[in-house]
Amino acid sequence: QVQLVESGGGLVQAGGSLRLSCAASIRTFSVYDMEWYRQAPGKERELVAGISSGGSPSYVDSVKGRFTISRDNGKNTVYLQMNSLKPEDTAVYYCAARWRFSRQVDYWGQGTQVTVSS
């Protein structure tokens, strides 16, 4: 059974940093595109960052220059380094795995709360 387990969330002041990790129990992890989504209260879930199976990153405009996504295929883990955090970054952050030729997410993590105080 595939599991995605996020960690690293918490409470931080504006301007601070957090590093989220997502450990995936996927045997063929390297052929999955990995993504981070977030959902704030009363808002729809949005794609924040993604990294392809080949290692190419992409970001939503609101986090460009502040967030960095990376992956370690040897550890079956994807990371999201978040710097210069803002109160509007407050949300539950979800890790997701999508097989590289799939158009939809195949697996979701349970989410980790990130709260940025002003």
Side-chain angles (χ1 to χ4, degrees):
Q1 183 177 355
V2 172
Q3 283 189 312
L4 303 180
V5 180
E6 301 103 331
S7 60
L11 173 64
V12 64
Q13 288 188 331
S17 298
L18 284 174
R19 188 195 195 203
L20 304 184
S21 299
C22 172
S25 63
I26 302 176
R27 190 167 55 89
T28 54
F29 178 79
S30 63
V31 302
Y32 280 78
D33 295 340
M34 298 301 295
E35 298 167 340
W36 285 99
Y37 290 76
R38 67 185 178 189
Q39 188 167 20
K43 295 187 176 181
E44 293 189 354
R45 189 173 298 189
E46 68 166 344
L47 176 61
V48 175
I51 186 164
S52 71
S53 57
S56 297
S58 60
Y59 304 93
V60 68
D61 285 346
S62 59
V63 308
K64 282 181 180 177
R66 300 189 298 121
F67 290 11
T68 302
I69 189 171
S70 61
R71 66 189 296 159
D72 184 337
N73 289 341
K75 295 182 178 181
N76 282 19
T77 301
V78 62
Y79 305 97
L80 186 66
Q81 177 67 45
M82 306 185 294
N83 299 328
S84 301
L85 283 161
K86 305 175 180 180
E88 51 264 43
D89 294 318
T90 295
V92 177
Y93 283 71
Y94 297 90
C95 174
R98 184 168 51 84
W99 182 60
R100 61 186 175 183
F101 297 122
S102 176
R103 293 189 177 186
Q104 62 185 20
V105 171
D106 296 295
Y107 306 107
W108 288 96
Q110 82 287 352
T112 185
Q113 176 70 47
V114 171
T115 303
V116 184
S117 63
S118 57

